[in-house]
Amino acid sequence: MPGRHASDDRRRFQRDLRRAGVIALGVLVVLISAVLVARTLIGGSPDGDHVEGGAAAVEPVATTGAPTTTAAPATTVPPTTTTAAPTTTTTEPPRPPARQPSQIGVLVLNATSVAGLAGRLTDQLADLGYRTVPPDNHSENLDASVIWYVEGYDREAAILSEQVPDAELVLFPGDAPRAPITVVLGAGYQE
């Protein structure tokens, strides 16, 4: 006597059993394919060896009680050992290009005993297209020139330093400069 849920038709039972086997085999194939794709994207095998070409050898899976299908032969690539130095990558956002001289305000201060030195450099910088503010004297004499710049003007200060080759580039030490770049001419400055 068959059970309550048993089918009377033996062929129907066998068909359902085969269908379940085919579905299980299909799920297995999909899982294996997903693992292979993941390995290919990562570029390695589960034991940490690098696999050339991104393909790994696949062992055939034995199934019982379900119809079998013949898969294409797997390609086996011999494992290779590669040693690479660890790299550190930092990604910084790309910096915009340096500002044009017409977008840069410059103040020139004279820290020497040579009268009119800051005024002459101010005129030269204005001729190069810089937005200059009226020159002035520094509160004390300096031996070496200094170019002070506010944050974000480091590249522009470096370009301007071609006009004052002996100058040291320094981030502006104060709170409110009169211009984004201040050139302080020291005794080492040559006209």
Side-chain angles (χ1 to χ4, degrees):
M1 172 172 177
R4 252 181 5 161
H5 300 286
S7 172
D8 291 334
D9 187 6
R10 189 173 266 259
R11 280 182 265 157
R12 187 182 202 187
F13 174 74
Q14 289 175 347
R15 183 191 70 209
D16 290 344
L17 187 59
R18 272 186 297 222
R19 184 180 296 161
V22 169
I23 290 173
L25 184 61
V27 169
L28 185 62
V29 168
V30 168
L31 288 174
I32 290 172
S33 298
V35 168
L36 290 176
V37 168
R39 283 187 194 165
T40 301
L41 292 176
I42 295 172
S45 64
D47 56 9
D49 291 340
H50 178 71
V51 179
E52 294 295 321
V58 178
E59 296 294 323
V61 178
T63 59
T64 58
T68 59
T69 58
T70 305
T75 304
T76 304
V77 177
T80 60
T81 303
T82 58
T83 305
T87 58
T88 303
T89 305
T90 56
T91 56
E92 293 181 15
R95 291 177 58 173
R99 294 169 184 87
Q100 296 297 316
S102 62
Q103 300 171 317
I104 304 168
V106 179
L107 167 65
V108 181
L109 299 176
N110 188 353
T112 72
S113 58
V114 179
L117 191 60
R120 289 189 294 277
L121 181 60
T122 297
D123 292 341
Q124 290 174 6
L125 295 176
D127 290 343
L128 292 173
Y130 287 95
R131 289 182 320 160
T132 57
V133 296
D136 203 351
N137 290 318
H138 191 262
S139 59
E140 59 186 68
N141 287 346
L142 299 177
D143 291 330
S145 301
V146 177
I147 297 177
W148 286 324
Y149 60 92
V150 296
E151 192 168 328
Y153 280 80
D154 54 331
R155 290 181 297 165
E156 292 80 359
I159 292 169
L160 181 71
S161 71
E162 294 173 7
Q163 304 304 314
V164 188
D166 73 314
E168 178 185 0
L169 299 175
V170 178
L171 187 62
F172 189 78
D175 292 330
R178 291 191 278 176
I181 296 178
T182 301
V183 179
V184 183
L185 298 175
Y189 174 70
Q190 300 291 318
E191 286 188 82

